[in-house]
Amino acid sequence: MFHKITSVKPLPNFNLAVKFVNGENRNYDVSLLFNKWEAFKSLLSIKGLFKQVRVDAGGFGISWNDELDLSCDELYYNGK
């Protein structure tokens, strides 16, 4: 089951506030991915990139650019 996203907001310390279609909210700590996936380190090195996060068309994920994205289910199940 997909947990579609309605909005995403960047927060301090590489956290995201994510709101889902079902009305639930989750906070997701992106910094946990820096050592897991090399591509996410660009959020550290490219000034302002983290704040450019957006909901993908259809609400099935979020992205920063063509190389960095996260699925709606990753955010839902691993968010707090």
Side-chain angles (χ1 to χ4, degrees):
M1 175 178 177
F2 291 107
H3 294 89
K4 292 173 73 172
I5 300 166
T6 59
S7 67
V8 62
K9 179 181 175 184
L11 300 173
N13 302 315
F14 297 99
N15 282 278
L16 298 171
V18 185
K19 184 171 184 175
F20 295 87
V21 171
N22 65 4
E24 289 187 61
N25 296 294
R26 299 262 203 262
N27 283 338
Y28 186 90
D29 185 356
V30 177
S31 69
L32 299 175
L33 302 177
F34 295 159
N35 291 325
K36 186 174 183 180
W37 303 103
E38 189 69 28
F40 281 92
K41 288 183 181 179
S42 65
L43 295 172
L44 291 168
S45 61
I46 300 173
K47 184 176 173 122
L49 181 59
F50 184 72
K51 292 182 179 181
Q52 294 178 21
V53 65
R54 66 187 182 278
V55 178
D56 290 338
F60 292 102
I62 62 165
S63 61
W64 288 269
N65 57 31
D66 290 339
E67 296 158 7
L68 287 176
D69 58 32
L70 291 169
S71 73
C72 56
D73 286 342
E74 168 66 21
L75 296 163
Y76 186 85
Y77 291 116
N78 293 308
K80 296 179 181 184

